[in-house]
Amino acid sequence: MRVIDGKPTVFVEKITFKEGWGVITVVRADLKSGRRDIVEFGERDTRAVLLGPEGTIIARSDYDAKSGRWALKLRQGGGWFDARTAVAKLDRPYMVGLGRDGTSVLIGELESGGYVLREVSPDGKASEPLDVRNGDDVIFDPETRRPIGLYALVGDEGRYTFFAERDQKVWAAVKAAFKGDAVDLESWSHDRQKIVVLVDSAAEGPAYALVDLATRKAEWLGPQYEKLMPEDLSKVQPVRFKARDGLDLTGYLTLPNGREARNLPLVVLAHGGPESRDMPGFDWWSQAIASRGYAVLRVNYRGSDGFGRAFVEAGYGQWGRKMQTDLSDGVRYLAAQGMIDPKRVCIAGASYGGYAALAGATIDTGVYRCAVSVAGLSDLRKLVEDEGRSAKRYWKRFMGVTSLSDPALAQISPVTHVDKVSIPILMVHGRDDTVVPLEQSEIMADAMRKAGKPVELIVQKGEDHWLSRGETRSAMLESTMAFVEKHNPPN
């Protein structure tokens, strides 16, 4: 949203089909009059556009998936010129936003050791990398859209680093108002005098608060989960252990209330991505499982984001291999500590985590008593076959394969190992999932039935990949826990 000539104006990005191709189209909408005008059409290879302070398009990034050519294009008169180019069939550069002066463009580029940020001036000259070693996300001023700071999750602590000393002092005062809790910046007013923060309290759960800097007062706006009570919360603690090859791994263990941390039943909850990560704050899925009397282990296996470039690269070629055994190594660690009963362990997850659940039943066998896959993958050859060029390259790197005919695809696909299944499997999948097609679960269910193996498939009507609707999310939890309690009772 921008204020143009004193009028609140919204700019919306949509897709318009031209000559059979979908292209990015920017539309300007006047909120007072309701008038809508097309500002700009992108080209066939346009992947992102950047608006200047006045609502004009000042930059765009184009990418040719076939050749791998990426270009940052800047406005010059009535046309465009290539300010910076690269050939990157993987890990291509990306446009972040405006630079600090309001006229340059901030871009991210991969160099040895990780991504760096550079500012490209209107004449196309690129700066040296900014000193942003501890920065996962860039913080922008809500009015000028210029970068004013950085956010990074360092270990288990979210850190905000602002460029201006005044902003850093303001944030320090905000954090001090909620001592002992994790505080995240959600939004703020254009004059930056009022800030909405999400306060994640280990004792009371996450809730929103409005901080007024002028009056130095904070007002609670409401909880993120309205019916969540303090007595519903289970304790979460960080865990650290070594994988069998010596790699240091971390994760989070949620412990059920009212039970000693000895010989507990366990559910391993694998995160998606796989280049994502589990976070230290409130997690609705693991809290729901723990409320039924189970310990829940979330592992940031190799290939997870947020632990440096080398850790991500340690996951290359390890899909279904060491990425999978990192999970079961966590089980063995907790068992060695006496915290869980190794004979009472199930595995669950969504997306890649759903794949990990199926792989726990078919590839890394003998660890789990049951498996729950939500929107999981079962036939990796089918996945790679159906994806576009860029996605294929990305998946092949993590899968460690070079072509569709590579036999390794079958070796790490759960559907080719149903003969090894000795535990019951539940699969839940949204019918309208456009990320992992329902077909992936249907293929697995059909193969299981033909092999005479125990399987259940629940198809959620009108649901997407992320279980965006509350009612279907609740339905997933209810069916998951009924299944887990049946095959791995908590008592």
Side-chain angles (χ1 to χ4, degrees), residues 12 14 34 43 105 146 197 210 222 294 303 427 479:
V12 179
K14 69 173 187 175
E43 300 294 334
V105 178
R146 300 182 187 186
V197 293
L210 175 66
Y294 297 88
M427 289 182 288
S479 59

Side-chain angles (χ1 to χ4, degrees), residues 69-80:
R69 184 181 187 273
W70 177 88
L72 172 68
K73 292 181 175 290
L74 300 181
R75 183 78 77 182
Q76 187 176 63
W80 299 91

Side-chain angles (χ1 to χ4, degrees), residues 165-178:
E165 184 178 354
R166 174 187 175 278
D167 290 335
Q168 196 67 51
K169 289 181 178 178
V170 166
W171 183 250
V174 171
K175 282 195 66 177
F178 305 98

Side-chain angles (χ1 to χ4, degrees), residues 239-243 247-251 300-302 311 326:
V239 293
R240 298 179 181 276
F241 61 95
K242 287 186 180 294
L247 182 67
D248 289 324
L249 298 173
T250 64
N300 284 314
Y301 47 79
R302 69 192 71 204
F311 194 79
D326 285 349

Side-chain angles (χ1 to χ4, degrees), residues 160-300:
Y160 289 85
T161 304
F162 291 90
F163 300 145
E165 184 178 354
R166 174 187 175 278
D167 290 335
Q168 196 67 51
K169 289 181 178 178
V170 166
W171 183 250
V174 171
K175 282 195 66 177
F178 305 98
K179 190 174 182 180
D181 297 331
V183 184
D184 287 318
L185 172 63
E186 292 293 309
S187 66
W188 45 22
S189 59
H190 274 210
D191 61 5
R192 285 201 272 151
Q193 290 301 297
K194 293 182 178 180
I195 306 175
V196 174
V197 293
L198 178 63
V199 182
D200 194 345
S201 166
E204 299 183 5
Y208 294 99
L210 175 66
V211 179
D212 190 323
L213 299 180
T215 63
R216 296 178 178 270
K217 292 182 179 180
E219 173 188 353
W220 288 108
L221 299 177
Q224 191 175 41
Y225 298 90
E226 187 176 2
K227 296 181 180 180
L228 185 69
M229 304 301 291
E231 57 267 25
D232 298 326
L233 290 171
S234 296
K235 179 183 177 181
V236 181
Q237 64 186 49
V239 293
R240 298 179 181 276
F241 61 95
K242 287 186 180 294
R244 62 190 65 183
D245 64 356
L247 182 67
D248 289 324
L249 298 173
T250 64
Y252 305 99
L253 180 66
T254 305
L255 296 169
N257 288 332
R259 300 192 63 172
E260 182 185 3
R262 301 291 298 176
N263 294 318
L264 291 171
L266 176 71
V267 174
V268 175
L269 188 59
H271 71 70
E275 196 175 343
S276 179
R277 67 161 293 175
D278 277 312
M279 309 288 277
F282 179 87
D283 178 73
W284 61 270
W285 198 350
S286 57
Q287 286 286 336
I289 296 172
S291 72
R292 300 297 184 94
Y294 297 88
V296 183
L297 174 64
R298 295 178 291 145
V299 176
N300 284 314

Side-chain angles (χ1 to χ4, degrees), residues 357-358 360-362 368-373 414 417-428 441 443-458 483 486-487:
L358 295 178
T362 57
Y368 309 104
R369 288 183 63 170
C370 65
V372 179
S373 170
H417 299 286
V418 294
D419 59 307
K420 298 178 183 176
V421 174
S422 60
I423 63 174
I425 295 175
L426 169 66
M427 289 182 288
V428 181
S441 287
I443 289 172
M444 186 68 182
D446 288 344
M448 289 281 289
R449 293 186 187 110
K450 289 178 181 177
K453 304 292 184 176
V455 63
E456 297 177 42
L457 172 59
I458 297 174
F483 178 83
K486 176 181 177 181
H487 299 288

Side-chain angles (χ1 to χ4, degrees), residues 32-47:
K32 289 187 176 180
S33 67
R35 178 175 174 175
R36 301 177 184 179
D37 298 299
I38 292 178
V39 177
E40 184 115 21
F41 288 107
E43 300 294 334
R44 175 173 163 179
D45 292 331
T46 301
R47 297 293 186 265

